[in-house]
Amino acid sequence: MRVAFIGVGHMGLPMCANLLKAGHAVTAYDLVAAHLDRAVAAGAARATSVADCVAQAEAVVTMLPSSPHVRSVYCGESGVIARAARGALLVDCSTIDPQVAREVAFDSLARGLTMVDAPVSGGTAGAQAGTLTFMVGGSAKEFEAARPLLACMGTNVVHCGASGNGQVAKICNNMMLAAGMIATSEAMTLAARLGMDPTVFAGIVNASSGRCWSSDTYNPYPGVMEGVPAARGYSGGFGTDLMLKDLSLATEAARVARVPVLLGAVAQQVYQKHSADGHGAEDFSSVILQYLKT
Ligand code: NAD
């Protein structure tokens, strides 16, 4: 397929490379010249604008920071919706506000374009390995149209329901993950402070009812597990600022839907403080430093 790829940053670049590896003809565009240069070095053709990028494309994939960037790339006179060829498939893989995803999909449909939201989990490692999970929002027909392309970049492509539901799955999962990571951090720190060996405590938790992904796969306490960010000074992994962004999307969506998310709101504030304390670029499990340091 002729694919336009817009936003070749940390995630977009390796995703674009996997589309090229699968034999697609990719034209890339990014506001940052150095990012676009890397995509061109990987084999993509260079576009000079969004309009130029999408003009000949049968499918458009976007991987942008957040809702305002998606609006600006898709909407307006020179945006994807106005400039894409009729019948083109539009796939936004950015994590954004579900309501914005629905609005952009609605505008696309009004111009006869097929659009799905397809945010991902799996991080940069999954993007490189082509093992991402895609959470897809759109009709069954739109999902089937997008599936083959997404399968070139991921191993798990899940239909979440109507437009926007991919974003719903993504932000609700991450809200749970953040609360679980904070709870694990508190319990690990308290047990250690009360005199327990943290590794023995983690072993008990992981065979008991307190077990969760943050305790058994990604334990934040230094020295308890190998190969996790806690074992390397919290470098790599999923950044605190990305988690903060997802929590802010979740609490804002909850406000609009008038659903109380007490733990989600606390988690958002804990991560906001953690970021303000200078840990924004560290892995999100570094939130345990808020407790270990006290
Ligand atoms: P990034 O900032 O590295 O990449 C975004 C790219 O979009 C940048 O190259 C930027 O220059 C480009 N861009 C911004 N505005 C643009 C515009 N108007 N036109 C063209 N290009 C534009 O971000 P990332 O880490 O690749 O994340 C992308 C998305 O994926 C985000 O929504 C993020 O929440 C989500 N996500 C990231 C991870 C991760 O581990 N990094 C994991 C899961 C989901």
Side-chain angles (χ1 to χ4, degrees):
M1 269 180 129
R2 290 189 306 277
V3 182
F5 204 113
I6 304 174
V8 280
H10 289 105
M11 296 291 290
L13 177 65
M15 290 165 70
C16 173
N18 282 330
L19 287 176
L20 286 161
K21 260 186 234 160
H24 294 291
V26 183
T27 302
Y29 178 67
D30 197 294
L31 279 184
V32 177
H35 295 184
L36 186 51
D37 288 346
R38 285 199 283 268
V40 170
R46 182 189 300 271
T48 53
S49 64
V50 168
D52 176 38
C53 190
V54 304
Q56 308 294 326
E58 295 160 279
V60 178
V61 181
T62 48
M63 194 49 162
L64 299 159
S66 201
S67 310
H69 311 84
V70 170
R71 266 198 213 283
S72 91
V73 165
Y74 277 85
C75 305
E77 246 174 63
S78 309
V80 173
I81 297 172
R83 298 307 186 100
R86 205 158 273 275
L89 167 69
L90 313 181
V91 183
D92 179 37
C93 299
S94 329
T95 303
I96 66 167
D97 181 341
Q99 192 49 39
V100 174
R102 286 173 183 148
E103 286 165 17
V104 176
F106 184 81
D107 290 352
S108 303
L109 198 60
R111 239 212 97 221
L113 300 162
T114 299
M115 176 164 192
V116 296
D117 49 298
V120 306
S121 69
T124 50
Q128 267 150 23
T131 56
L132 292 170
T133 290
F134 287 93
M135 293 156 266
V136 186
S139 70
K141 197 171 156 221
E142 289 163 344
F143 171 72
E144 287 308 330
R147 195 214 292 259
L149 201 61
L150 297 176
C152 301
M153 302 179 281
T155 41
N156 199 11
V157 184
V158 185
H159 188 205
C160 300
S163 174
N165 280 7
Q167 304 294 348
V168 170
K170 169 81 185 172
I171 62 177
C172 291
N173 176 74
N174 278 11
M175 185 175 79
M176 263 176 87
L177 171 62
M181 181 55 80
I182 293 168
T184 304
S185 298
E186 290 185 359
M188 289 297 304
T189 306
L190 179 62
R193 206 67 65 78
L194 294 178
M196 267 203 87
D197 179 328
T199 303
V200 173
F201 177 64
I204 291 166
V205 166
N206 292 337
S208 309
S209 47
R211 181 176 63 83
C212 64
W213 187 85
S214 298
S215 72
D216 75 357
T217 306
Y218 214 78
N219 200 293
Y221 202 97
V224 166
M225 286 183 81
E226 307 251 310
V228 291
R232 49 172 193 265
Y234 303 104
S235 61
F238 183 55
T240 289
D241 279 345
L242 282 173
M243 177 54 94
L244 175 58
K245 178 200 140 185
D246 291 358
L247 284 166
S248 302
L249 288 170
T251 49
E252 173 58 15
R255 186 189 68 75
V256 173
R258 301 176 69 87
V259 174
V261 288
L262 280 71
L263 294 183
V266 170
Q268 193 271 345
Q269 286 296 302
V270 170
Y271 273 96
Q272 191 149 302
K273 174 168 189 317
H274 194 49
S275 177
D277 287 348
H279 299 282
E282 292 171 2
D283 178 71
F284 83 110
S285 64
S286 66
V287 76
I288 197 171
L289 297 176
Q290 293 288 328
Y291 302 94
L292 290 177
K293 276 180 183 166
T294 56

